[in-house]
Amino acid sequence: MVKLTIMSIENVDPRIKKYKKIITVNPYNDEVYQYKNQTLKSLDKLELNNNFVISYVTNRDLIIASFDLGYDVDSEELDDLIYMKAYDELGLDPEKEYSIHHQKADADEQSNVYTLFISEPDVINQNLQATLEKTKYIDLLIPAPLLFQTLYTSHTLESSEAHCFIYFTMEDAFVTIYKDGKFLYSKSLEYSLEQIYEKYCALIGERIDKKEFFDTLESEGLKAVSSSYQQNITKLFSEIFLQINDIIIYTKRAYNIETIGKLFLGSVKSPIIGLGDYGYNYLGIPTFNLDFKFDMKNDEWYVDQFQYMMVQSGLDYLETPSKLVNLTSTPRAPVFSKRVSGQFIIATLLSSLAALAWPISYLVISYTNDTASLLLTSKDKKLEEIDKHYKNILGEKQKEIQSKKKEFSTLVSIFDGKAKTLTAIYNKKVDYRLKSQFLFDFAKDLTGHDVKVERISSYEDKYTLNMVSSDEKKLTKYIKFISKKYFDEINKIDIHRIDMDYEDTQYRGVLEVGYR
């Protein structure tokens, strides 16, 4: 697997100054995240506030089609023409109400090819009901296949080749194809994570615990300890990739694509171990984990990629709204001054004030001037005496302040020197922890997990351990164990790779640990 370079985002993004935060909502599992100060963190509950709210519609709940109109159409007539062609050529049910959005499928201005995103408002509103009860509005509702567009607008991926994205969620799994940074085609698979679980149970002839199944899929993937589990799960994924292969073949033929440059695999739960290697061996396409954070800070082990992409898509939308398809049917209400009722009330008040302003202004000015003149005359003499008295007092106080400043400056210098000395002594006596104790603790943990160390090196508070074990999973479990155990004592833990040495059939990995 290859790690790709990710572009950074400024700490204070000018695009969100109008709002307190960006809130992203997965309406299918009610997961909510907030983005603020370049940090993405999970929220326990959603509240109505001055936030920019983003959600998405999964591929399963959309009809996506492409139309070549064949000739130029005025912008005023374009919506009506596309609406009629959608009903005529896609066989839409005339008894149902549909929401139809479109975007140009090609950057060429001479092109008349449009991509349509068709949804049923009742279905969308049902999925968003829980969210709307709390926020009352959705600012941006994105078709799930268009979330990948932000990988190109942020220059995370090169837009000079064709890419295939495969994403598994609990309720849907779909394949999306982009070419030269533009969306081409998307199709749902018959293997969402829920369907994979159901098909697995049918395959083995019994219903197993769902949580246990997904915990195993998350921790072991296609390289399970149980041969029975691995055999059955591999069989399911062979059926999945057979369907994916058919979709890729169709797309390459339909859109004149010579080769797919890269394949990206992702899951709402976590990367599936071994799936990348399986995808590369089956399809022959360089395969990568869909794991992009856009330099957003987050302390969780794994976050649904759609949460990151919704934030980045929201930033793109706030900068250029016309470049993104927005399916929302519940936007926030305009400010009072832009509503029809508000404009009427404001106009009425202004006209009334304008009519009365002329006579009232003269009357007020006259009374104000007379009153001010009397007050100023009576107070003038008293203020002169008070002014003289306080000038004398201020002169004396200024002399006293200058004297005290010099005395205070001397005392501050003495205090600072003693404070620094005491702090240094305290840190040496109390806070310093011997490296030997830290390495001793690590050695006990290594022994407990049957992991050996070939070499240990350190620089300042950073340690590098060359580990070796007979089993790749022992290395992985050891890393997870120390991540939890020393969470408050280490500020960095990183394993570059775990490779197998075919000469002695041992697994080796280089672990870097930064101590606080």
Side-chain angles (χ1 to χ4, degrees):
M1 309 302 290
V2 179
K3 186 176 181 180
L4 301 180
T5 302
I6 300 174
M7 300 295 289
S8 63
I9 305 172
E10 296 179 0
N11 287 333
V12 181
D13 199 307
R15 291 171 287 188
I16 61 172
K17 285 185 177 179
K18 182 180 176 181
Y19 305 97
K20 290 182 178 179
K21 307 161 191 166
I22 285 181
I23 301 296
T24 59
V25 183
N26 181 335
Y28 301 94
N29 62 11
D30 295 327
E31 282 190 347
V32 181
Y33 281 77
Q34 78 168 27
Y35 172 77
K36 184 180 180 182
N37 297 333
Q38 207 178 345
T39 300
L40 185 69
K41 69 175 184 178
S42 177
L43 293 182
D44 294 330
K45 64 177 182 176
L46 188 59
E47 296 178 350
L48 178 62
N49 211 326
N50 186 27
N51 301 321
F52 190 78
V53 182
I54 307 171
S55 189
Y56 73 91
V57 179
T58 192
N59 192 82
R60 178 199 62 182
D61 292 332
L62 293 169
I63 299 173
I64 303 176
S66 293
F67 280 165
D68 187 351
L69 300 182
Y71 54 90
D72 291 333
V73 181
D74 292 339
S75 57
E76 298 176 356
E77 302 175 1
L78 181 61
D79 289 343
D80 291 337
L81 179 60
I82 287 179
Y83 191 86
M84 288 188 294
K85 284 181 71 68
Y87 269 90
D88 290 342
E89 298 185 20
L90 296 179
L92 300 181
D93 187 347
E95 300 297 324
K96 291 184 178 181
E97 178 188 357
Y98 294 92
S99 175
I100 302 176
H101 294 74
H102 60 82
Q103 69 174 12
K104 258 200 166 184
D106 198 321
D108 184 4
E109 296 201 359
Q110 303 300 320
S111 170
N112 293 299
V113 179
Y114 291 84
T115 302
L116 275 58
F117 298 89
I118 305 169
S119 59
E120 295 183 41
D122 291 344
V123 175
I124 303 302
N125 291 336
Q126 183 178 357
N127 291 330
L128 295 172
Q129 183 178 357
T131 302
L132 291 172
E133 286 176 357
K134 299 179 181 68
T135 66
K136 310 304 180 188
Y137 60 83
I138 300 290
D139 291 293
L140 179 59
L141 185 62
I142 313 171
L146 293 189
L147 286 171
F148 303 111
Q149 184 73 57
T150 195
L151 294 171
Y152 301 99
T153 58
S154 63
H155 305 292
T156 301
L157 293 181
E158 294 291 336
S159 56
S160 59
E161 58 184 0
H163 296 148
C164 177
F165 301 93
I166 302 169
Y167 206 73
F168 294 88
T169 67
M170 294 303 296
E171 65 286 334
D172 190 23
F174 62 97
V175 180
T176 300
I177 307 292
Y178 276 72
K179 181 183 179 184
D180 299 330
K182 296 292 181 181
F183 170 79
L184 282 187
Y185 182 76
S186 185
K187 184 174 178 60
S188 287
L189 301 169
E190 297 175 3
Y191 292 88
S192 68
L193 292 177
E194 284 282 1
Q195 289 170 313
I196 290 174
Y197 166 71
E198 295 293 340
K199 290 177 184 290
Y200 181 86
C201 291
L203 197 60
I204 64 173
E206 64 175 309
R207 197 162 193 82
I208 62 173
D209 181 73
K210 183 184 290 188
K211 184 180 184 302
E212 181 181 341
F213 172 79
F214 284 117
D215 286 346
T216 304
L217 185 63
E218 180 179 340
S219 61
E220 299 181 10
L222 302 186
K223 297 183 178 181
V225 175
S226 169
S227 59
S228 175
Y229 174 88
Q230 182 169 349
Q231 181 180 359
N232 288 310
I233 200 70
T234 303
K235 182 178 180 180
L236 278 176
F237 274 97
S238 69
E239 295 174 7
I240 294 172
F241 275 93
L242 178 62
Q243 197 173 121
I244 292 170
N245 188 52
D246 290 341
I247 293 171
I248 291 175
I249 291 172
Y250 163 77
T251 309
K252 289 171 69 175
R253 183 173 64 249
Y255 293 94
N256 296 319
I257 301 174
E258 291 186 9
T259 57
I260 301 292
K262 295 182 180 69
L263 174 70
F264 295 91
L265 292 165
S267 166
V268 69
K269 285 186 168 292
S270 68
I272 300 174
I273 297 172
L275 189 58
D277 294 335
Y278 187 90
Y280 176 73
N281 293 331
Y282 196 101
L283 301 172
I285 302 173
T287 305
F288 305 84
N289 278 335
L290 191 61
D291 188 13
F292 304 103
K293 295 185 178 179
F294 304 97
D295 273 0
M296 299 180 202
K297 299 173 185 176
N298 182 276
D299 296 330
E300 299 178 44
W301 175 72
Y302 180 80
V303 176
D304 177 9
Q305 279 291 292
F306 280 0
Q307 298 289 350
Y308 289 111
M309 292 183 188
M310 279 192 281
V311 172
Q312 190 62 33
S313 296
L315 296 175
D316 293 342
Y317 180 81
L318 289 170
E319 183 175 20
T320 314
S322 60
K323 288 187 177 180
L324 268 175
V325 172
N326 189 357
L327 303 181
T328 186
S329 59
T330 55
R332 70 174 67 210
V335 295
F336 179 78
S337 61
K338 292 186 178 180
R339 302 177 197 173
V340 175
S341 58
Q343 291 173 347
F344 174 76
I345 293 171
I346 291 171
T348 302
L349 289 173
L350 289 176
S351 61
S352 300
L353 291 172
L356 296 173
W358 189 264
I360 291 175
S361 63
Y362 275 101
L363 183 63
V364 171
I365 291 171
S366 175
Y367 279 115
T368 302
N369 287 339
D370 290 343
T371 303
S373 178
L374 290 172
L375 290 172
L376 291 173
T377 301
S378 64
K379 291 181 178 180
D380 183 55
K381 291 182 179 180
K382 293 181 180 180
L383 289 173
E384 286 181 357
E385 294 177 1
I386 293 172
D387 177 64
K388 184 177 179 181
H389 173 71
Y390 280 106
K391 280 183 178 178
N392 292 334
I393 293 175
L394 287 172
E396 295 297 325
K397 293 297 181 183
Q398 287 292 339
K399 293 178 182 178
E400 186 177 345
I401 287 171
Q402 293 300 323
S403 175
K404 294 295 183 183
K405 278 185 177 180
K406 292 180 181 178
E407 183 181 346
F408 178 74
S409 177
T410 302
L411 292 173
V412 167
S413 299
I414 295 170
F415 174 80
D416 287 343
K418 292 183 177 181
K420 289 178 180 178
T421 302
L422 290 172
T423 301
I425 294 170
Y426 178 85
N427 289 338
K428 288 292 185 180
K429 288 187 174 183
V430 177
D431 290 338
Y432 184 73
R433 183 174 178 179
L434 295 175
K435 290 185 179 180
S436 60
Q437 179 63 42
F438 181 75
L439 293 175
F440 175 73
D441 292 341
F442 263 49
K444 289 195 297 183
D445 297 332
L446 287 164
T447 304
H449 287 81
D450 195 18
V451 177
K452 299 178 180 178
V453 175
E454 293 182 323
R455 180 174 174 233
I456 298 176
S457 59
S458 67
Y459 176 73
E460 294 183 351
D461 290 329
K462 296 179 182 177
Y463 301 87
T464 301
L465 290 81
N466 292 65
M467 304 185 302
V468 60
S469 176
S470 60
D471 190 345
E472 177 187 6
K473 293 184 180 61
K474 292 179 180 178
L475 295 176
T476 306
K477 288 181 179 178
Y478 171 71
I479 295 167
K480 289 183 178 178
F481 173 78
I482 64 171
S483 297
K484 290 183 178 178
K485 181 176 178 181
Y486 301 102
F487 179 81
D488 295 325
E489 301 180 50
I490 58 178
N491 59 17
K492 174 188 175 184
I493 181 166
D494 188 21
I495 180 77
H496 292 291
R497 295 180 68 104
I498 298 176
D499 295 316
M500 178 178 181
D501 190 337
Y502 289 96
E503 292 184 2
D504 57 6
T505 65
Q506 296 289 311
Y507 288 87
R508 286 177 167 81
V510 180
L511 177 67
E512 293 184 356
V513 180
Y515 191 71
R516 295 184 187 278

